[in-house]
Structures are given as structure tokens and as C-alpha cells.
């Protein structure tokens, strides 16, 4: 997110104005562009060091996955976790 804000949205980023607007809208929750952003995952894939462990929290199993990661990192399991979801919907 920091690289996107400091590099990707910068005036001299090399990104088109359309791409900058799409990224800005997505970050602010104004619109959803999942299909457009799909192709940018290659950037992240290439940034992952070999033999890295990747931790994933699936939306449909959020509490279970959260607790699994917490325990794996030496934390404690929690019950009835609530996750704010206001940022998951586009703003008007």
C-alpha cells in the first residue's frame, strides 16, 4: 500500500491517468475493479522470496484462519471475533 501511494499514484509514476484514477478509487472504496487489478498480482508474485511462508485469511473462514495464524505465531485463540466490515463496501 505504501508503494502504491508513494510510487503508483505519483505524478511521475509512468502509470496512465486512467490507472491512477482506478487505483485511487479502489483505495478510497469508491469503486471495485477486481478484474483490472488481477493482472497486477504478477508484481507481488515476483516479490515473494523463495521458500516463503504465505499466510492467508479467507473471508468465509475468517475467525478460524485468524486463530490458526495467531496460534502459529505464539498468540492465543479467541472466540466470537468480530471484524469491522465498513471498509468492504464502496462509499457513495
Amino acid at each position: 500500500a505504501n508503494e502504491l501511494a508513494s510510487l503508483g499514484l505519483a505524478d511521475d509514476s509512468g502509470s496512465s491517468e486512467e490507472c491512477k484514477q482506478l487505483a485511487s478509487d479502489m483505495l478510497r472504496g469508491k469503486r471495485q475493479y477486481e478484474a483490472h487489478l488481477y493482472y497486477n498480482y504478477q508484481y507481488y508474485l515476483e516479490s515473494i522470496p523463495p521458500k516463503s511462508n504465505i499466510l492467508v485469511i479467507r473471508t468465509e473462514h475468517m475467525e478460524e484462519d485468524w486463530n490458526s495464524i495467531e496460534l502459529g505465531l505464539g498468540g492465543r485463540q479467541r472466540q466470537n471475533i468480530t471484524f469491522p466490515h465498513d471498509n468492504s463496501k464502496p462509499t457513495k
Side-chain angles (χ1 to χ4, degrees):
N2 287 338
E3 280 187 23
L4 174 62
S6 63
L7 301 175
L9 297 176
D11 290 336
D12 60 349
S13 68
S15 299
S16 70
E17 290 304 314
E18 180 184 11
C19 283
K20 286 186 217 176
Q21 188 61 53
L22 291 174
S24 178
D25 289 350
M26 189 77 165
L27 286 172
R28 289 182 172 85
K30 291 182 179 179
R31 296 182 183 169
Q32 294 180 348
Y33 294 102
E34 292 88 357
H36 177 82
L37 298 175
Y38 169 81
Y39 297 101
N40 291 331
Y41 288 131
Q42 185 68 31
Y43 167 82
Y44 296 106
L45 176 63
E46 293 171 0
S47 299
I48 299 171
K51 299 182 182 180
S52 293
N53 292 322
I54 298 174
L55 307 175
V56 176
I57 297 178
R58 301 164 294 174
T59 304
E60 65 276 11
H61 302 286
M62 195 171 288
E63 184 174 336
E64 176 187 348
D65 291 347
W66 182 274
N67 280 324
S68 177
I69 291 170
E70 276 290 320
L71 290 171
L73 294 174
R76 62 179 178 83
Q77 188 167 345
R78 295 175 25 191
Q79 299 281 328
N80 301 317
I81 303 171
T82 57
F83 298 93
H85 61 281
D86 292 344
N87 63 348
S88 65
K89 299 176 187 151
T91 58
K92 293 182 181 181

